[in-house]
Amino acid sequence: MDDFVCNKLTEWNLSEWIQTFKDHKVDKESLYCLEDHHIAALIPMVGPQSKFKKRLKLLKEKQNTTDPETSESSVEVRPSTSKTNDKGKRKLDLQGESSQSPARKRPREDIQGTKTEEEILSDVKYIMRYVHQKLPHQDDKLNKFLKNSIKHLETDKREVVGVFGKTGAGKSSLINAVIGEQDLLPSGSISACTSVMIKVEANMRNPKYEAEIEFITKEEWKEELWTLFNFLGDNEDQEKDEDYQDSVEKLSVLYGEEWRNKSPENFMDKKYFREIPEFLLSKSKILTSDTAKELSAKFVKYTRSESKEEDAKDVKRLYWPLVKCVTVRVPKNRLLQHVTLVDLPGNGDRNKSRDRMWKKVVGSCSTVWIVTEINRAASEKESWEILEESCSLMGNGGECQQIHFICTKSDSLGRSGNQSAAGVRAQILKQNEQAKKKVRAEFSKLKDVKKQFSEECFKVFTVSSKEFMRKKRLDPDDTEIPRLQEFLQDLNNSHSETLNYVSGARGILSLIQGASSRGATKKGGAFHMILKCLVQNGGIHKTKKGKLININMKLTSCLTDSIDEEFKKTFPNEGNSGPFNGVINAFSLGTEKLMKKECENVKLQLTFLKTEEEKMKTNLNKLIRERKKTIYSSLTTTIEEKMKPCYDRAKEIRGEGTLKNMRETIEMHVHGSKNDMFAQAKDAMMKQLRDLMLEILEKQCNMMQKSIELSLKTDGVSIPDVSVELEMVKKYYNELTGSPDDDAILCSDSPGQAAALRP
């Protein structure tokens, strides 16, 4: 704290609060930035607090009169870390609320309007931290619930976009161009390829470029070493085999030529991991840089295999065989604020840990980009194989809503003769359209894929990362990179982190204020009757319109002969109806209808219950989305379990006729157990569906029963007054949703009382 603040507090007869201001590092600049809730936290006592606010208001008015320019800059709250608006980044509004009356808006607010979502979220988080501190230190049921609810308000689910494509297709260049970071992901050499999964997201914590290297465990590497050495020992005569060469490469990049003369036990020696002690400690390694280019040079050894054409003596030690995943964070990148782009290598991995992560990420993708060169987009087998082999994992086994088939290097077409620039552009655009038609025609032939994804889910893009950067022969829009940027921005815009947090905070504050100020009348019977009917009728519930909903029927309807199509209808990834034909989303306690009636004495409680009802639906839909992946994959999982003894026996076969004996072992096992095996797979899926049905009913009943009891059966004596906080959060909620202010909820008797935040 500087002398200015100390002198002012002394001048205003508030010297007893000097230490508090020092502890919170309030200097001259931040003094002018203080808002009502900041002041209440610093000076909780009503008397001194009102004096301070009056003095600060007069000080600001005097400053406005004597030095308007200085005043404007000094009263800005939470300035943006982005100094300019370059690269299309949106500049944050620099404004905030002060103790001035609403009629005296600051110049910055008049020009730039309402607060940004980031500022609203920051304000409401501050309010809820303050409310959490105000809650009494008691272990009663209500206070435990409130503290736990505030703690879990922050749930940020990121949208995942998976990027597939063979080596040299231009994945890295595409990602770099789309996010506006030309030097982030290494690209160039065709013979060098990305060997591990790379996640790219925004770094909203600091202005550094950051890479987090996550390693496989020591135990997993020991197991892989054993597998590699046994594989090489059994295949010495197959040196040209691709798997053999892959195994040799993994050992060579880590151990040089030493691996050829030593046993696997020697390769866990610490000397091989001096540069990565984090691997031995089972920790992640963090790399940071000021520029994308510097960071790229640092993490390349953890992600890519080198060019096979380079002299082995010149190749430095690489660590990608030990890496599970690399997460690259780009500072303050708006397109990645709520979106993660994932560069996915191939179709899984031989390493169990990496394969599990690969399947998990693919199953969590809301959109998939399949990247291939335009000159062979329709005929490229690998791209279509990726789609065919992964479609069930992305569709019914995942949550993918869109597939984008991205044809790269579109600028490579049209280079013929001495055409004018306009002629070349016209030819490129024409050939791009022809490529799109061929790709769509090829997609229409994929019957199995179309069971999972309709043609409306499939979109084709023809892009040129190079032309987007240099702008020589094509306009930026012609490269279609802006379309992909717009798509990512839409994903960010649809993300409801701020609204979810503010809505949850509004519900919690409504419960607290309702418990604090309500009278003795209770009207909970209607809610209990609904829940009793739900449980007593075995999952059958009537909506407000009288429509009969049978959850049991919907849960058991997915197992039909056409399981993919029916499963997709039952657990849709796209649309807003939700699972089970909208049964979960249609459930209602009727709080909105009751709020329109004469229920003023429990209106705050009804607001809380409405929020809890929406939260319950969100949680149940999330549970179903995750569980349906397991249910869908249970058929394969059961088959794998039943086939495992057969695989184990086949692995032990050695000597002459190995291949023939392995084949016969597998064939005999399948023929001998196919009836039981497939019946058990069906039964396992049915059991999981029944378990999900019971869990939904139980969670639905328990969550709403608990919420009702908390809202209508709790003594409010020990509950603090949060009328001011509720009014502030209500204002933000209305601003985010565009809802009119609810005049029925009056949280304070006067502006003076509204400013008194009681500890």
Side-chain angles (χ1 to χ4, degrees), residues 194-211:
T194 303
S195 302
V196 302
M197 183 188 304
I198 302 177
K199 298 180 181 179
V200 184
E201 56 192 42
N203 183 2
M204 305 305 291
R205 298 172 295 186
N206 59 62
K208 294 281 188 179
Y209 288 85
E210 182 179 284

Side-chain angles (χ1 to χ4, degrees), residues 221 225 229 249-260 264 266-269 272-273 279 317-318 322:
W221 181 238
L225 278 175
F229 272 86
E249 183 187 13
K250 279 188 176 182
L251 294 170
S252 298
V253 297
L254 267 173
Y255 303 112
E257 293 299 305
E258 291 183 40
W259 69 269
R260 298 183 186 274
N266 297 317
F267 292 116
M268 293 307 295
D269 192 294
Y272 296 111
F273 312 106
F279 168 70
R317 180 164 289 171
L318 306 178
L322 303 176

Side-chain angles (χ1 to χ4, degrees), residues 117-132 146-156 495-509 611 615 729-730 732-733 736-737:
E117 285 199 15
E118 292 89 344
E119 291 174 318
I120 290 175
L121 184 60
S122 176
D123 281 355
V124 177
K125 284 182 178 180
Y126 183 95
I127 291 170
M128 296 313 291
R129 285 197 298 270
Y130 179 71
V131 169
H132 189 276
L146 292 172
K147 290 175 182 178
N148 188 61
S149 296
I150 293 173
K151 180 181 177 183
H152 290 94
L153 269 175
E154 204 163 353
T155 53
D156 181 17
H495 195 276
S496 53
E497 178 192 9
T498 301
L499 179 58
N500 287 343
Y501 190 96
V502 174
S503 177
R506 173 174 171 261
I508 292 170
L509 293 175
T611 305
K615 186 167 76 173
V729 172
K730 233 179 92 234
Y732 287 139
Y733 177 80
L736 288 168
T737 60

Side-chain angles (χ1 to χ4, degrees), residues 537-550:
N537 291 306
I540 300 173
H541 170 64
K542 282 189 176 181
T543 64
K544 290 186 288 185
K545 296 182 179 180
K547 181 181 178 181
L548 186 67
I549 300 174
N550 190 327

